[in-house]
Amino acid sequence: MKKRVMSILLIATMVFGLVACGAKEKGDKDVKTEASTEKATGEKELKIQLGASPETLDPALNVVITGGNILLQSFECLLVVDKNGELQPGQAEKWEVSDDGLTWTFYLRDGLKWSDGSELTAKDFEYSWKRMCNPEVAAPYGQTVLGMVKGFDEATAGNVDALGVTAKDDKTLVVELNQICTYFGSLASFISLCPVQKETIEKNGDKWATEAETLVSNGPYYFTEIVPDSHITMSKNPNYWNADAVKLDKLTFALLDDPNTAFAAYEAGEIEMVKSIPTEEVGNLQERDDFYREPLIGTYFVNLNVSRAPFDNEKVRQALSLAVDRKYVANTLFEGTYTPASSMIGPGWKDADGKDFKENANGGKPYIDVEDHKGNLEKAKALLAEAGYPNGEGFPEIGYATTASGYNKVLAEYLQQAWAELGINLRLDIIESPSLMAAVDEGNYDTSRNGWVGDYPDPSNMLEIFYSTNGNNQGRYVNSNYDAAIAVARATTDLNKRSEALHNAEDILMNEAACIPVAYFNDFWLQTDKVKDVWHSACGFWHFENADIAE
């Protein structure tokens, strides 16, 4: 064991060092040299690993949790969420909602500044929110976070100034909704709606979010070094309104995609926190004091590209779903780090009555009986025969696109076996994360791994991604009844009717097997006892704004 870890450590050190050294002519610093000078200067630097290089650092374009975690440290929205899940003032010191629930007014703090020292005003929020609707930007979250704002459709058609977001003055932002949205405060805390600086975007174009010098931000930390596939370093932002509460001088994200390399770096003391852990190590690590496991509001699921045959056949999709032994996957293959999924919406999502949405779903019964895999498999074989493929006869070879990280490859190999019991030949396409994202976004796949972690605990956040025109509808699912249910949920002011509509939407989604929910997410990671005052949310975000590190 120790020899294997040491050999990986040598590789990790070489890779990390070579990347940093190779970039020195561009002004980058060697991470190890910087770490050694840290002790001499007395600076506090926390080094963590939460994933590989994000595809983008543009808040309007990011859709992955790794990117969100990085952006959360460097940008701040009008409102923020505390460790109890409650909304608190962020860039806005207070906010008001009109009696009819259709007008939200945010009052910004005095003296807000960007990380470059320039003034930040309500006009920056107006620009940023309208940019989210700009069809040239094509923000995936646009409809999710602003679809309820007056003028959204006209804005996304090209007239961004039609959006009902107005800077009344430098400190006041007024937002007019076309329908009541009880969770709009949560949206105002979501990182896609943080402000971005108009000047730097217009000056640098699409490249503005690729260089530390041009990635001007407004949060607790600001970007000082970006080396793709190596690291991102942030420094304490002296222009942040609450800078006195920020204890760290530097926060460095090690952009390590390989779990073995990341784990070795942690074991060697090169980083203080690691999220990517080799699956073969998880079983033993769960007994250690530095192993953490916390639930998420999210689901690991399999995309089915319903725009392609044979996935346009409902019975084929149902058969593929029922052939998956979710209990075996979660408890054995995933070593108990996930929970078997019997529905799309798992624990933690809140219903109108305050209960878990899952408790009220499908008349209180699970959509899929995870305890009866034998019975499910028999149903799957019968459905496939009804679809015209008895024992898989005539069924084409299909592909499954995924990455090798975490349990992704483990699940892929299991699906190969599970669907073989139906007589289906599954080809595994193991690719790098950026390539997977591109393929799925463009629809160049048959089936693929996917997952969704809630941005806020309202179930619409997950159900909205299957709306036909949603930018995150990667399965290309289109169902007029589903869209109608989502439309009712968006428009009604009656919370019980809204709940009924959302449950109706999940009924349709599950009955048609638009995707295959496999397991409910839990986050697990290793963290040294030197790390203090960091907290983790059920949305999968780590908060380092008050973090400290003991010497």
Side-chain angles (χ1 to χ4, degrees):
M1 176 73 75
K2 186 174 285 188
K3 285 184 179 179
R4 184 179 64 80
V5 170
M6 285 302 294
S7 64
I8 294 169
L9 174 58
L10 288 172
I11 295 171
T13 304
M14 291 170 66
V15 171
F16 217 67
L18 285 171
V19 172
C21 291
K24 277 185 179 178
E25 60 184 301
K26 295 184 180 180
D28 296 322
K29 304 172 186 176
D30 187 299
V31 172
K32 288 188 174 296
T33 302
E34 191 170 334
S36 63
T37 57
E38 175 226 322
K39 292 182 180 179
T41 59
E43 287 188 332
K44 290 185 176 182
E45 180 181 9
L46 176 60
K47 299 178 290 299
I48 60 179
Q49 185 274 344
L50 297 180
S53 290
E55 187 177 2
T56 179
L57 289 172
D58 185 333
L61 299 179
N62 176 68
V63 296
V64 297
I65 197 71
T66 302
N69 268 302
I70 293 172
L71 294 170
L72 186 67
Q73 319 312 321
S74 50
F75 288 90
E76 185 172 89
C77 296
L78 289 167
L79 307 181
V80 296
V81 178
D82 65 18
K83 64 178 62 178
N84 297 315
E86 300 294 328
L87 289 172
Q88 299 295 341
Q91 295 284 284
E93 62 181 356
K94 63 179 181 178
W95 67 100
E96 297 173 348
V97 184
S98 61
D99 291 340
D100 63 5
L102 295 176
T103 302
W104 290 63
T105 305
F106 299 91
Y107 301 94
L108 273 61
R109 299 177 184 275
D110 290 330
L112 291 177
K113 293 182 179 180
W114 291 102
S115 56
D116 65 0
S118 59
E119 185 181 17
L120 189 156
T121 72
K123 293 183 177 64
D124 293 304
F125 279 95
E126 178 182 344
Y127 163 76
S128 303
W129 288 25
K130 288 180 175 179
R131 179 175 179 262
M132 282 287 294
C133 297
N134 189 331
E136 294 182 3
V137 175
Y141 269 109
Q143 186 175 61
T144 299
V145 297
L146 293 173
M148 68 296 296
V149 176
K150 185 180 293 185
F152 174 79
D153 290 339
E154 190 176 345
T156 54
N159 180 17
V160 296
D161 287 328
L163 191 71
V165 177
T166 307
K168 185 177 179 180
D169 54 48
D170 284 352
K171 289 187 57 184
T172 310
L173 186 76
V174 179
V175 182
E176 299 175 90
L177 307 185
N178 57 28
Q179 61 199 50
I180 290 178
C181 181
T182 56
Y183 57 92
F184 191 75
S186 295
L187 295 179
S189 72
F190 183 48
I191 199 64
S192 292
L193 291 183
C194 70
V196 291
Q197 193 184 65
K198 180 179 180 181
E199 180 182 353
T200 191
I201 293 174
E202 291 185 341
K203 182 178 179 180
N204 299 285
D206 292 341
K207 295 182 179 179
W208 81 274
T210 62
E211 301 286 341
E213 293 76 11
T214 56
L215 230 169
V216 180
S217 61
N218 72 319
Y221 303 94
Y222 71 100
F223 293 91
T224 52
E225 191 172 43
I226 300 175
V227 183
D229 299 319
S230 176
H231 63 278
I232 290 175
T233 298
M234 300 178 181
S235 295
K236 176 179 177 177
N237 180 7
N239 292 309
Y240 177 55
W241 70 269
N242 199 23
D244 289 344
V246 180
K247 306 178 187 107
L248 296 176
D249 297 295
K250 292 183 179 180
L251 178 63
T252 294
F253 293 84
L255 304 177
L256 303 172
D257 192 23
D258 178 58
N260 290 308
T261 303
F263 178 59
Y266 175 81
E267 292 290 85
E270 294 175 5
I271 54 179
E272 286 80 37
M273 179 188 293
V274 61
K275 184 176 185 294
S276 300
I277 303 171
T279 55
E280 64 270 19
E281 301 284 357
V282 172
N284 294 327
L285 293 174
Q286 292 189 58
E287 301 303 318
R288 285 178 27 170
D289 290 340
D290 59 345
F291 184 89
Y292 292 79
R293 177 178 180 267
E294 292 189 8
L296 297 175
I297 49 169
T299 303
Y300 188 135
F301 62 93
V302 173
N303 272 335
L304 301 174
N305 190 345
V306 300
S307 66
R308 290 183 175 183
F311 311 106
D312 55 351
N313 187 317
E314 179 181 323
K315 290 183 178 180
V316 167
R317 299 194 303 267
Q318 292 170 338
L320 292 173
S321 179
L322 286 170
V324 177
D325 186 346
R326 291 154 170 84
K327 187 175 179 181
Y328 173 72
V329 170
N331 295 345
T332 302
L333 296 181
F334 291 1
E335 302 180 274
T337 56
Y338 289 62
T339 306
S342 60
S343 59
M344 193 65 196
I345 304 296
W349 301 89
K350 296 304 176 185
D351 210 340
D353 60 2
K355 295 181 180 178
D356 266 11
F357 189 85
K358 186 174 184 290
E359 291 183 37
N360 297 330
N362 198 36
K365 299 180 297 182
Y367 291 100
I368 298 169
D369 185 355
V370 300
E371 301 293 336
D372 184 21
H373 175 60
K374 183 178 179 181
N376 290 338
L377 184 58
E378 290 304 311
K379 291 177 185 176
K381 291 178 179 179
L383 284 163
L384 197 63
E386 290 175 24
Y389 305 103
N391 300 314
E393 294 172 14
F395 200 94
E397 179 186 73
I398 59 175
Y400 180 74
T402 188
T403 65
S405 63
Y407 290 109
N408 295 331
K409 188 177 180 182
V410 173
L411 177 66
E413 292 170 345
Y414 165 74
L415 290 176
Q416 207 171 33
Q417 299 170 17
W419 291 345
E421 293 192 59
L422 299 178
I424 294 173
N425 185 25
L426 179 66
R427 182 188 69 255
L428 302 186
D429 300 323
I430 310 297
I431 54 181
E432 296 296 321
S433 184
S435 300
L436 176 64
M437 290 288 293
V440 170
D441 286 341
E442 295 165 8
N444 295 327
Y445 74 98
D446 290 329
T447 67
S448 75
R449 76 157 298 276
N450 207 340
W452 188 267
V453 176
D455 306 304
Y456 42 90
D458 189 276
S460 66
N461 178 241
M462 181 178 284
L463 294 173
E464 281 271 1
I465 70 174
F466 297 97
Y467 188 81
S468 58
T469 59
N470 191 285
N472 289 306
N473 182 11
Q474 296 169 329
R476 275 69 180 166
Y477 178 64
V478 178
N479 181 296
S480 59
N481 292 328
Y482 186 87
D483 285 359
I486 294 296
V488 169
R490 290 174 180 170
T492 184
T493 59
D494 186 316
L495 294 182
N496 290 325
K497 287 184 179 179
R498 181 174 186 272
S499 171
E500 181 181 353
L502 291 175
H503 281 294
N504 184 27
E506 187 181 24
D507 288 345
I508 295 169
L509 190 75
M510 292 300 298
N511 291 336
E512 291 205 344
C515 67
I516 302 176
V518 176
Y520 304 130
F521 281 119
N522 295 299
D523 254 340
F524 54 94
W525 70 98
L526 294 170
Q527 174 182 313
T528 72
D529 59 5
K530 293 193 299 181
V531 180
K532 309 295 182 184
D533 301 325
V534 173
W535 62 276
H536 172 268
S537 78
C539 294
F541 293 120
W542 276 267
H543 289 257
F544 298 100
E545 59 266 27
N546 301 123
D548 201 356
I549 184 166
E551 295 297 330

